[in-house]
Amino acid sequence: MSVIATKKLGAVGVEVLDVGTDRLLNDPEVPEACMEALEEHGVLLFRGLHADDATQVAFSRRLGEPARFRGYANPEVMEISFDPGNPNAEYFASNDYWHIDGAMDEIPAKASLLSARVTASKGGETEFASTYAAYDTLSDEEKERYADLRVAHTFEAVQRLNYPDPTPKQLAQWAKRPPREHPLVWVHRSGRRSLVFGATASHIVGMPVEEGRALLADVERRATAPDRVLRHSWTEGDMVMWDNRGLVHRACPFDRSEPRRMHRSTLVGDEPIE
Ligand code: OGA
Ligand code: MN
């Protein structure tokens, strides 16, 4: 019998049924069982967990190394909100587009854990789609054609989605983040393959820009077709953990004058995209 009981949620993801904060912190077998379930299912939902920051971070430490963020009271917890006091508020608008956390970093995050503290009265769900499944459903001809493609990821590509007419100051600010090149097909250490795309993907290296963008848009459209997507509607206290190596995710729109607030801890990755 598995250490944790799970129930399938949809296209990806399972709900973990029998783990509360006590087992998260103390059960010696739960961390490994969660990482295995994450590899298999992509998303784990702990409904009504009500983990406070200390609990979320302590659990994150049992799973790996929590990333640190500048500007927050607890550096291992990034607060996701549009509160003007939030140091990253202007960038969170881009969470509305399909993305991989840390796609611009040398090594993207391994996993992210997100707890709902204040939910939106309408909208504000989070959606997930498997990038492993995105690869698996390519035709053989596409698998061959995509095998050697490389994609340029830029911060400007993401930001332009929200700020299509940037000021020179914004452009200069965005340019501080160096562009990153990744293969379209990520061959994981496990041997599995996934597709790497999303809001940071600007164009395909060595291909006319418009042609590359059309290809990337087609990949994204197919990977995130409604029947491939898990949409989680949050209730305060829910915690969701996702495998950032094999999924894209996005926030659904809501009234940004509402105080929706999510607390995220992030596990540092150890697998470069190659
Ligand atoms: C994130 C993110 C989505 C959301 O925290 O990385 O993309 O629904 N959040 O807030
Ligand atoms: Mn994200």
Side-chain angles (χ1 to χ4, degrees):
M1 221 186 78
S2 170
V3 173
I4 57 176
T6 57
K7 186 180 100 184
K8 257 194 158 340
L9 286 172
V12 286
V14 289
E15 179 175 351
V16 180
L17 298 170
D18 58 350
V19 177
T21 53
D22 183 46
R23 288 193 74 198
L24 280 189
L25 294 182
N26 301 308
D27 188 320
E29 294 181 296
V30 157
E32 196 185 324
C34 285
M35 290 314 275
E36 278 175 18
L38 199 67
E39 173 78 23
E40 187 177 347
H41 302 291
V43 177
L44 304 184
L45 163 64
F46 301 84
R47 222 184 271 281
L49 183 70
H50 293 282
D52 59 15
D53 286 348
T55 302
Q56 187 172 329
V57 169
F59 176 55
S60 302
R61 282 216 187 94
R62 298 188 79 204
L63 301 172
E65 182 192 345
R68 297 175 71 86
F69 308 103
R70 242 171 277 154
Y72 295 97
N74 182 340
E76 286 158 326
V77 177
M78 180 182 267
E79 295 187 21
I80 317 286
S81 75
F82 289 104
D83 181 326
N86 190 316
N88 291 306
E90 73 175 295
Y91 297 120
F92 291 139
S94 59
N95 282 349
D96 285 10
Y97 301 91
W98 291 108
H99 66 280
I100 296 171
D101 289 339
M104 296 293 303
D105 298 338
E106 192 176 350
I107 300 182
K110 182 188 290 184
S112 299
L113 295 85
L114 194 65
S115 287
R117 292 307 179 83
V118 180
T119 55
S121 59
K122 213 169 124 231
E125 304 90 343
T126 307
E127 292 186 330
F128 303 90
S130 170
T131 57
Y132 289 125
Y135 178 82
D136 292 341
T137 49
L138 295 177
S139 69
D140 289 344
E141 181 272 320
E142 285 168 326
K143 286 180 182 167
E144 206 178 305
R145 190 154 48 88
Y146 293 177
D148 296 321
L149 294 183
R150 295 189 64 82
V151 181
H153 293 255
T154 67
F155 195 57
E156 182 178 330
V158 193
Q159 293 308 320
R160 270 189 186 274
L161 296 168
N162 284 300
Y163 307 101
D165 295 309
T167 63
K169 193 171 157 218
Q170 278 176 313
L171 282 170
Q173 190 69 24
W174 300 344
K176 285 187 193 156
R177 298 279 297 266
R180 183 78 58 191
E181 207 180 288
H182 295 304
L184 177 60
V185 179
W186 183 351
V187 182
H188 297 256
R189 284 181 192 150
S190 61
R192 298 173 81 187
R193 285 171 162 76
S194 69
L195 295 181
V196 180
F197 57 91
T200 51
S202 167
H203 57 276
I204 294 182
V205 179
M207 195 182 274
V209 170
E210 289 314 317
E211 190 183 335
R213 288 197 173 144
L215 191 155
L216 289 164
D218 179 62
V219 161
E220 181 170 300
R221 183 184 53 76
R222 288 160 60 187
T224 59
D227 63 334
R228 298 269 179 89
V229 169
L230 169 69
R231 169 181 282 206
H232 180 60
S233 298
W234 295 93
T235 300
E236 197 186 308
D238 290 351
M239 186 176 86
V240 168
M241 176 174 167
W242 65 89
D243 178 356
N244 193 55
R245 296 167 299 191
L247 288 171
V248 284
H249 63 281
R250 69 173 177 184
C252 296
F254 63 96
D255 176 353
R256 291 198 184 140
S257 67
E258 286 193 15
R260 178 185 190 265
R261 181 162 49 87
M262 316 293 283
H263 283 199
R264 191 182 93 195
S265 54
T266 304
L267 303 185
V268 170
D270 58 9
E271 203 192 320
I273 302 178
E274 50 193 24

